[in-house]
Amino acid sequence: MRNNQASTDDRGSVMPDKYLKIESNQQLFNGFFQVNLLKFSHSLYQGGSSPIVNREVFKRGEAVVVLLYDLVRQQIVLVEQCRAGAVEKALHNQDFNQAWLLEPVAGMIDQGETKEQACVRECLEETGIAISDIEYISEFYPSPGACDEVLYLFASNIDSSLVDTHAGLASEDEDIRVVLLPFSEAKQQLAQGKFNVATTYIALQWLIYQKLPGLATL
């Protein structure tokens, strides 16, 4: 597939049209997640085509992330749970606590579900609160070198006194602790590099430096 709009680089040089060709897309594994072997070629910046590139792609699909915050109480709402991707490192470091991560509400978009419907469902499942006012922030690839997942980031101003202490669906092996964090503490931890999940960083940076720039002076 070709992109017929030629572009220029930062030096004003005209770059060739970009194009892609998929040679094959073979499913290697289909379990809780899916892995495909993708073979493709693409245009080169200096002209011509690449050799066929072979990459295993983790098929994660689309998901929503929702930052819940309370302007009245000056709090954000995060969820803490044991995450499979952090288990091995926690065991290697002999620190079980490292497997429990602090994140905004997040979850996959079910088939036939809109992004906004997924936001409402996930917030109810993970914090016990029903949201209605949803603000779209951005979309991004968290790990495009190996995963096709696209995350859609939203935010909602809520009454944090209504969230549950613990939540999650037992049918999905979820055991969640709902965490209320003052704005000032969230900003301090962000500046000190205390968080270790990308969505937490991105969501809090939006809140502190874009949505509520006055927080940057706290």
Side-chain angles (χ1 to χ4, degrees), residues 22-27 36-39 55 57 59:
I22 294 179
E23 303 291 338
S24 65
N25 195 2
Q26 176 189 0
Q27 185 180 99
N36 282 18
L37 175 59
L38 179 64
K39 297 184 178 184
R55 291 289 185 272
V57 178
K59 305 289 288 183

Side-chain angles (χ1 to χ4, degrees), residues 40 42 77 130 217:
F40 67 100
H42 61 82
V77 179
T217 61

Side-chain angles (χ1 to χ4, degrees), residues 37-96:
L37 175 59
L38 179 64
K39 297 184 178 184
F40 67 100
S41 59
H42 61 82
S43 56
L44 299 174
Y45 287 119
Q46 298 183 53
S49 179
S50 72
I52 295 176
V53 180
N54 295 269
R55 291 289 185 272
E56 290 83 9
V57 178
F58 182 35
K59 305 289 288 183
R60 188 74 165 86
E62 297 184 326
V64 295
V65 178
V66 189
L67 178 64
L68 300 176
Y69 64 96
D70 186 335
L71 283 178
V72 174
R73 292 175 176 79
Q74 298 279 285
Q75 293 178 326
I76 61 168
V77 179
L78 299 175
V79 295
E80 184 185 65
Q81 57 187 314
C82 184
R83 298 303 244 169
V87 165
E88 286 189 77
K89 185 175 181 180
L91 289 173
H92 176 76
N93 293 338
Q94 298 183 346
D95 184 356
F96 294 160

Side-chain angles (χ1 to χ4, degrees), residues 190 200-211:
L190 186 70
T200 310
Y201 269 102
I202 294 169
L204 290 181
Q205 286 178 341
W206 168 83
L207 180 71
I208 293 171
Y209 297 106
Q210 291 180 249
K211 180 67 174 180

